[in-house]
Amino acid sequence: MHEYTSTARVWGLSCPGFPEEVSRARRWTRDILRDSPLADDAELIVSELSTNAIRHTASGWQPGSFHLAVAVSAQVVAVSVTDDGGAATAPKVEHQDQDAEHGRGLGMVSALAHRVVVHDTDQGHTVTAELYADARLGGRRCW
C-alpha cells in the first residue's frame, strides 16, 4: 500500500455555535454513516458532544463555533467535537443521580462508545468517541 493511502475516510464540518446547528451536525453524521449499524449511536454522541460545546464553552458565545470530525474505517467510527474553549475545566464524565437534569451527557457518551478521549487543544478541548464495528476489538459496550 502506498504511504499516503489509507483505508480510513475522514470528514469535517464547522458549525456556528447556535443550538439549531446541533440538528445539522446530527443529520450530517447520519448522512455519512447511512449504511453503518453504528449510525444511531454516532448520531446521539454527536448530539451530546455538540450540545455540550455550545452550552459549556465559548463555542456558544458570539461568534463561537464548534468543529466536528467523523473518521470511518472498517474497524472503527470515531466522532470528535472540538470546542472554542473558555470553560474553567476540561470535559469529564460525571456520575449523576438518574434524576439529575444536567451533567449526564458525557456519561451517556461513555456508555455508548467503546472509548472516549479528551484532548486539550490550543483553543479548547476535543472529545473523541470511538465505536468499534466488532466489540471484540476492545473497550466496553453497554447494552
Side-chain angles (χ1 to χ4, degrees), residues 61-142:
W61 307 344
Q62 188 66 0
S65 61
F66 63 95
H67 311 280
L68 175 61
V70 175
V72 179
S73 73
Q75 297 82 24
V76 65
V77 169
V79 294
S80 300
V81 173
T82 301
D83 64 47
D84 280 349
T89 60
K92 65 179 184 271
V93 176
E94 296 181 12
H95 300 286
Q96 298 287 348
D97 182 284
Q98 69 181 24
D99 295 328
E101 293 183 24
H102 301 286
R104 295 177 19 190
L106 278 181
M108 182 171 42
V109 169
S110 69
L112 290 170
H114 291 94
R115 182 172 173 228
V116 177
V117 179
V118 178
H119 293 285
D120 292 334
T121 67
D122 290 339
Q123 284 77 28
H125 299 93
T126 297
V127 180
T128 301
E130 297 176 356
L131 299 163
Y132 299 141
D134 184 345
R136 294 174 294 178
L137 292 175
R140 67 184 186 291
R141 183 71 169 180
C142 298

Side-chain angles (χ1 to χ4, degrees), residues 36-78:
S36 171
L38 301 173
D40 289 339
D41 288 349
E43 182 180 8
L44 182 55
I45 289 168
V46 163
S47 181
E48 286 299 321
L49 296 181
S50 300
T51 298
N52 284 352
I54 292 170
R55 284 190 180 165
H56 303 296
T57 75
S59 292
W61 307 344
Q62 188 66 0
S65 61
F66 63 95
H67 311 280
L68 175 61
V70 175
V72 179
S73 73
Q75 297 82 24
V76 65
V77 169

Side-chain angles (χ1 to χ4, degrees), residues 9 11 27-43 70 72-74 77 133:
R9 302 229 16 219
W11 292 263
R27 284 190 311 273
W28 181 79
T29 302
R30 167 72 62 195
D31 287 346
I32 291 169
L33 299 173
R34 73 178 139 271
D35 296 326
S36 171
L38 301 173
D40 289 339
D41 288 349
E43 182 180 8
V70 175
V72 179
S73 73
V77 169

